[in-house]
Amino acid sequence: MELVSLFIKSAFIENMIFTFFLGMCSYLAVSKSVKTAVGLGAAVIFVLLVTVPVNFLLETYVLKEGALTWLGSEYADVDLSFLSFIMFIAVIASIVQLVEMLVEKFSPALYGALGIFLPLIAVNCAILGASLFMQQKQFSNVGEATVYGVGSGFGWFLAIVLIAAIREKISYSHIPAPLKGVGMAFILTGLMGLAFLGFLGFEL
Amino acid sequence: MSEAKKESLFSKKNRKLITEPLNTINPVTIQVLGICSALAVTVQMDNALIMSIAVTAVTVLGNVVISLMRNIIPSRIRIIVELVVVAFLVICVDQILKAYVYDVSKSLSVFVGLIITNCIIMGRLEAFALGNKPWESALDGLGNGLGYGLVLIVVAFFKELFGSGSLSIPGLGKLELLPDAFFELGYMNNGLMLLPPSSLFIVAIYIWVQKSRNPQLIGE
């Protein structure tokens, strides 16, 4: 039950896009049609599903203060947490590469759908952001970290599919020329963000 | 490096590298890069200022380092090399912030780390530093960092002024700009301005104004 509420919390209340603005670059760039938005969203969920738990294990068994105790008691007060940025980004970049190769080998159809988006994802702030939030929240086990990763990914997926659908519709309406495109996308995101603020009061 | 004719350090072309990103090719509003942090750290003016300084420093240094190494980086692994260089610089920035301005570093939370994936930095490394000399790259980084900072400061100014009626400037503390008489007449701070969606509206208006004043930017 706790995991379900964690999922809902990470997907809706702490939505990556509407609350933290993470992954806005690709969110604005790839939201012109619903089909590509679904592809990118699915790729983000997939990568978060893998990277957040891996980074959680790395954090617990290597980086955190006292995490290296399993090597012997003389390592008990080693604190490597200043290395976490570089370790996390290295893990993300290599996992994205690995996932790309695996998907290409075992499921060419999926690769066709996700292919071009996968390399982009290594530098999507939502991925690194989820790992850094995971570090801040200090989850107690891998399960929670995994659910948090999938939840955040799902929230991001929802956001990009919603905005893509709205942008498809709105491209035929009369908007002041300077606001066309990006300007309008910002206002739409703001309005959707207001709607998502409604989730803020929920106690789970 | 073997070119015979020398350009002066601040020739017209080089000055353009700094001034253009401030307006017509602004990285945030026109190229739509680096939005994440631009929107999230703007509730208070001092956070926005320190974030802009941090990003500018990383962009300049990253551009210089990559530009110095541009002839020895194999193009197949350049993204990884760039990420490592940027991550290293960001770790330095993070440690410096923690040491000297701990409060700000706490309230910026994950966004310091997210400078690594700030698209402005990766974009400048890819588009400029890999093909230009160190000095030009440094200027280009400076220009883009300042262009990013400009938007951040404008957004933070409106958010903080209307949201909490004050401006916090490093060194001066929190300045209460609105007189109490204002509030006695029934004026109220707009709490919405402190919430995330308002920065989106402010950036949208910024884009609107900017594109109306530079009609050549319209029309993609």
Side-chain angles (χ1 to χ4, degrees):
Chain A
M1 201 55 219
E2 236 168 55
L3 291 181
V4 175
S5 74
L6 180 66
F7 179 84
I8 292 176
K9 199 171 165 213
S10 51
F12 293 100
I13 304 174
E14 293 176 357
N15 188 286
M16 278 285 170
I17 295 268
F18 299 123
T19 326
F20 299 115
F21 306 113
L22 295 179
M24 283 290 278
C25 306
S26 32
Y27 165 82
L28 288 170
V30 196
S31 61
K32 286 187 184 120
S33 84
V34 173
K35 213 175 148 210
T36 44
V38 170
L40 182 65
V44 165
I45 297 184
F46 193 51
V47 172
L48 276 174
L49 168 71
V50 187
T51 54
V52 176
V54 171
N55 278 339
F56 176 82
L57 293 175
L58 192 70
E59 160 83 6
T60 337
Y61 292 107
V62 182
L63 295 172
K64 224 174 14 186
E65 189 176 3
L68 286 172
T69 347
W70 55 271
L71 275 180
S73 55
E74 67 268 33
Y75 293 99
D77 47 359
V78 176
D79 182 6
L80 292 178
S81 54
F82 69 95
L83 282 179
S84 51
F85 294 161
I86 207 163
M87 295 299 272
F88 286 174
I89 198 73
V91 164
I92 289 169
S94 46
I95 284 186
V96 167
Q97 196 84 66
L98 205 70
V99 166
E100 194 185 347
M101 291 187 319
L102 283 178
V103 171
E104 190 180 9
K105 181 108 175 72
F106 292 111
S107 167
L110 186 64
Y111 183 76
L114 301 184
I116 43 169
F117 298 118
L118 278 173
L120 273 179
I121 282 177
V123 288
N124 186 331
C125 349
I127 310 291
L128 182 61
S131 286
L132 293 176
F133 276 122
M134 173 276 295
Q135 189 186 24
Q136 247 180 21
K137 285 175 190 285
Q138 301 187 326
F139 292 121
S140 53
N141 57 48
V142 189
E144 284 181 11
T146 318
V147 169
Y148 177 74
V150 179
S152 320
F154 181 72
W156 202 90
F157 172 86
L158 209 62
I160 194 170
V161 173
L162 284 174
I163 189 101
I166 298 178
R167 280 181 85 172
E168 268 188 4
K169 288 271 175 215
I170 216 165
S171 59
Y172 298 107
S173 33
H174 290 288
I175 305 169
L179 265 183
K180 264 212 165 109
V182 181
M184 206 58 212
F186 271 104
I187 293 183
L188 287 174
T189 313
L191 290 174
M192 288 157 72
L194 284 182
F196 266 72
L197 279 182
F199 289 112
L200 267 184
F202 279 82
E203 285 286 333
L204 285 172
Chain B
M1 281 293 168
S2 59
E3 260 181 84
K5 51 181 179 199
K6 270 247 173 195
E7 255 188 303
S8 70
L9 285 183
F10 286 100
S11 64
K12 205 170 171 207
K13 202 180 104 221
N14 284 351
R15 258 181 293 145
K16 249 187 157 175
L17 287 177
I18 297 189
T19 53
E20 273 192 334
L22 290 181
N23 189 17
T24 49
I25 51 165
N26 188 290
V28 179
T29 56
I30 304 300
Q31 301 178 33
V32 206
L33 298 174
I35 318 273
C36 326
S37 54
L39 298 173
V41 299
T42 47
V43 177
Q44 284 191 327
M45 197 76 170
D46 50 355
N47 289 359
L49 272 172
I50 289 184
M51 187 69 183
S52 331
I53 296 170
V55 169
T56 311
V58 175
T59 325
V60 172
L61 293 174
N63 257 359
V64 170
V65 172
I66 293 294
S67 173
L68 286 172
M69 301 199 301
R70 69 184 186 279
N71 293 327
I72 51 168
I73 301 175
S75 70
R76 283 184 65 93
I77 58 160
R78 63 179 196 281
I79 303 262
I80 301 278
V81 175
E82 288 161 11
L83 275 178
V84 171
V85 168
V86 175
F88 169 75
L89 290 169
V90 171
I91 289 178
C92 296
V93 166
D94 182 46
Q95 299 291 321
I96 292 172
L97 287 184
K98 272 188 187 145
Y100 292 102
V101 278
Y102 187 72
D103 294 340
V104 176
S105 145
K106 262 271 163 288
S107 64
L108 288 177
S109 72
V110 299
F111 289 97
V112 181
L114 287 174
I115 298 177
I116 299 173
T117 49
N118 190 318
C119 336
I120 296 177
I121 294 169
M122 291 302 285
R124 288 336 285 171
L125 294 180
E126 278 281 295
F128 200 91
L130 279 175
N132 287 282
K133 287 182 208 151
W135 174 247
E136 278 92 5
S137 305
L139 291 181
D140 179 77
L142 186 64
N144 280 284
L146 292 178
Y148 168 87
L150 180 70
V151 178
L152 238 71
I153 287 164
V154 169
V155 176
F157 177 81
F158 287 112
K159 276 190 88 163
E160 201 181 358
L161 186 62
F162 293 115
S164 39
S166 60
L167 285 180
S168 37
I169 294 162
L172 294 175
K174 219 175 163 95
L175 303 176
E176 299 291 341
L177 285 182
L178 299 177
D180 285 341
F182 243 67
F183 292 97
E184 280 159 22
L185 285 172
Y187 176 82
M188 279 214 272
N189 284 323
N190 187 350
L192 180 63
M193 291 302 265
L194 294 177
L195 295 171
S198 68
S199 30
L200 288 158
F201 296 130
I202 296 173
V203 174
I205 294 168
Y206 189 106
I207 295 176
W208 192 355
V209 172
Q210 191 178 29
K211 285 198 175 169
S212 314
R213 293 185 55 188
N214 303 284
Q216 79 272 17
L217 296 175
I218 306 173
E220 335 146 10

